[in-house]
């Protein structure tokens, strides 16, 4: 490093692979490149820095540009497999207080397995997860029943849930309290209302929204990047457009059930300590399905993850 380089601190708020937008505590956004390499010790990653990273950078005099020299240790992070075949990982975001999955029971209906895969990922990285049901204004009787059932199911397991309608403003106050002064990751299948929600909370963002029927026209692999959006009431939300699911990286078969908290609790009573809860004699998880203390939907998601085909959810 050269002498008299003045380092300033900031947060990576957007990463396009080449350039990083770094926000100072004063709210200025500086476009930065990186100096040297930053390694994450345990894993090979395709991106050295991610949204949410705390960095030290030097500003190029008289410009809005700079160079990042240092990465502060991450409190936590969430990653996904870079591709189905490689063992490389992409860090999606770092230093999160919570991870939210926005879902809908109508137009479009979120597959339950999609929810469970997200929750497993959050468990694997020890990030508190929230299931957010949007579009409640559109639910018919069946969708309402499913909604109530899932709220009870996930709260029973220990996850926080929130139900809202971005269209009518139902529970906007609760939503603001949930996000206030926290850094939240926001995920969810296309069309559930993520961009609409961010626009509602911070109208100056003017994010593009689409009719649900327009989604098939958009290129499947449109290049989009995670971005941190700041909230007027305090806190920030990291939007992850284009990321459909989080392929959990290198999950051992024998430990998959550790990330289903209610299955993990029950499994203490299985006859065999290495029980995979598929067809072993004396399996307490299979017994719990009969008694109803483990839900079939959760068990089906568990088996699907165990079988390892995540092609639909990546
Ligand atoms: P995203 O892909 O998750 O960012 O979804 P968008 O924010 O683009 O929303 C997709 C469509 O759903 C848009 O036409 C929104 O106007 C609509 N939408 C979002 N939230 C609601 C809601 O609570 N109720 C209804 N009826 N429509 C909504
Ligand atoms: Zn078992």
């Amino acid at each position: 490093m050269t002498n008299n380089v003045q380092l300033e601190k900031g947060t990576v708020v957007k990463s396009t692979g080449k350039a990083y937008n770094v926000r100072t505590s004063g709210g200025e956004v500086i476009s930065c490149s990186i100096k040297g390499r930053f390694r994450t010790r345990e894993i090979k990653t395709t991106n050295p820095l991610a949204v949410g990273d705390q960095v030290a950078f030097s500003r190029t005099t008289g410009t809005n540009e700079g160079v990042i020299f240092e990465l502060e240790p991450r409190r936590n992070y969430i990653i996904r497999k870079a591709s189905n075949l490689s063992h490389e990982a992409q860090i999606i975001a770092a230093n999160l207080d919570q991870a939210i999955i926005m879902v809908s029971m109508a137009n479009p209906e979120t597959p339950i397995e999609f929810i469970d895969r997200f929750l497993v990922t959050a468990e694997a990285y020890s990030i508190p997860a929230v299931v957010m049901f949007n579009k409640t204004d559109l639910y018919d009787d069946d969708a309402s029943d499913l909604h109530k059932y899932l709220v009870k199911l996930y709260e029973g397991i220990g996850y926080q849930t929130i139900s809202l309608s971005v269209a009518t403003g139902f529970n906007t106050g609760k939503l603001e309290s949930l996000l206030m002064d926290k850094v939240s990751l926001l995920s969810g299948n296309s069309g559930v209302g993520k961009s609409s929600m961010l626009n509602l909370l911070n109208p100056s963002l003017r994010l593009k929204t689409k009719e649900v029927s327009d989604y098939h026209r958009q290129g499947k692999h449109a290049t989009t990047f995670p971005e941190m959006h700041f909230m007027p009431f305090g806190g920030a939300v990291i939007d992850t457009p284009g990321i459909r699911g989080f392929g959990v990286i290198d999950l051992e078969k024998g430990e998959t059930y550790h990330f289903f908290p209610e299955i993990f609790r029950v499994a203490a009573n299985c006859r065999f300590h290495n029980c995979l809860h598929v067809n072993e004699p004396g399996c307490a998880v299979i017994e719990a399905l009969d008694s109803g203390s483990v839900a079939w939907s959760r068990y089906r998601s568990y088996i699907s993850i165990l079988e390892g085909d995540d092609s639909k959810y990546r």
Side-chain angles (χ1 to χ4, degrees):
M1 213 186 286
T2 46
N3 292 330
N4 32 335
V5 177
Q6 273 274 343
L7 290 187
E8 294 178 62
K9 295 203 164 178
T11 306
V12 176
V13 293
K14 187 173 185 173
S15 136
T16 60
K18 291 189 198 92
Y20 298 89
N21 287 351
V22 176
R23 189 180 194 264
T24 64
S25 54
E28 246 185 305
V29 176
I30 312 294
S31 173
C32 291
S33 57
I34 52 177
K35 179 81 179 169
R37 285 165 61 89
F38 303 98
R39 284 173 215 269
T40 302
R41 232 168 285 136
E42 322 85 81
I43 41 163
K44 252 205 218 167
T45 55
T46 55
N47 54 333
L49 291 177
V51 172
D53 272 334
Q54 303 295 318
V55 297
F57 68 95
S58 84
R59 197 189 291 245
T60 314
T61 317
T63 68
N64 270 334
E65 291 172 8
V67 180
I68 297 170
F69 283 93
E70 285 164 21
L71 165 64
E72 291 188 12
R74 295 178 173 123
R75 187 153 58 85
N76 61 30
Y77 56 78
I78 199 159
I79 60 181
R80 72 194 286 264
K81 280 195 276 187
S83 82
N84 219 358
L85 296 173
S86 84
H87 280 274
E88 279 203 321
Q90 177 198 2
I91 305 180
I92 311 234
N95 302 320
L96 301 168
D97 294 309
Q98 57 189 358
I100 300 171
I101 179 161
M102 185 188 261
V103 306
S104 176
M105 299 297 106
N107 192 39
E109 187 179 331
T110 305
I112 290 179
E113 190 181 332
F114 187 92
I115 305 174
D116 291 332
R117 281 179 179 269
F118 182 85
L119 295 176
V120 165
T121 305
E123 289 292 335
Y125 299 104
S126 304
I127 298 166
V130 181
V131 185
M132 178 179 279
F133 295 87
N134 187 32
K135 302 203 178 185
T136 54
D137 60 295
L138 295 180
Y139 297 178
D140 62 12
D141 287 350
D142 284 350
S144 268
D145 286 348
L146 182 58
H147 170 219
K148 283 196 204 107
Y149 168 79
L150 291 177
V151 166
K152 206 164 155 230
L153 170 63
Y154 290 118
E155 291 198 342
I157 295 167
Y159 295 111
Q160 193 179 350
T161 73
I162 179 171
S163 302
L164 49 115
S165 164
V166 169
T168 68
F170 170 61
N171 271 347
T172 303
K174 261 196 189 166
L175 172 63
E176 291 184 352
S177 317
L178 174 74
L179 302 174
M180 197 173 289
D181 298 333
K182 293 198 170 126
V183 175
S184 307
L185 182 84
L186 178 64
S187 188
N189 48 319
S190 289
V192 292
K194 298 180 295 299
S195 312
S196 308
M197 179 185 84
L198 292 168
N199 285 338
L200 172 73
L201 297 173
N202 184 353
S204 70
L205 293 176
R206 291 196 198 87
L207 301 174
K208 259 187 255 154
T209 63
K210 281 186 241 65
E211 293 303 316
V212 172
S213 57
D214 286 342
Y215 279 100
H216 66 275
R217 264 175 254 155
Q218 147 199 353
K220 201 175 163 201
H221 293 291
T223 316
T224 44
F225 299 95
E227 183 164 4
M228 185 183 279
H229 300 292
F230 288 82
M231 296 295 124
F233 45 82
V237 176
I238 299 174
D239 191 16
T240 57
I243 294 175
R244 298 175 59 219
F246 298 85
V248 180
I249 193 143
D250 291 339
L251 204 56
E252 297 286 336
K253 270 194 181 353
E255 64 170 21
T256 302
Y257 73 94
H258 295 202
F259 306 113
F260 285 79
E262 80 284 28
I263 296 183
F264 183 68
R265 285 193 283 268
V266 165
N269 299 318
C270 292
R271 186 179 305 164
F272 301 112
H273 72 90
N274 58 350
C275 187
L276 288 178
H277 327 301
V278 178
N279 51 18
E280 294 89 341
C283 174
V285 174
I286 294 170
E287 279 166 25
L289 285 170
D290 291 332
S291 74
S293 55
V294 168
W296 275 101
S297 62
R298 294 277 290 167
Y299 185 70
R300 272 194 294 272
S301 297
Y302 165 67
I303 294 294
S304 165
I305 292 173
L306 206 59
E307 287 170 350
D309 179 13
D310 62 2
S311 50
K312 271 187 293 181
Y313 300 102
R314 301 189 73 255

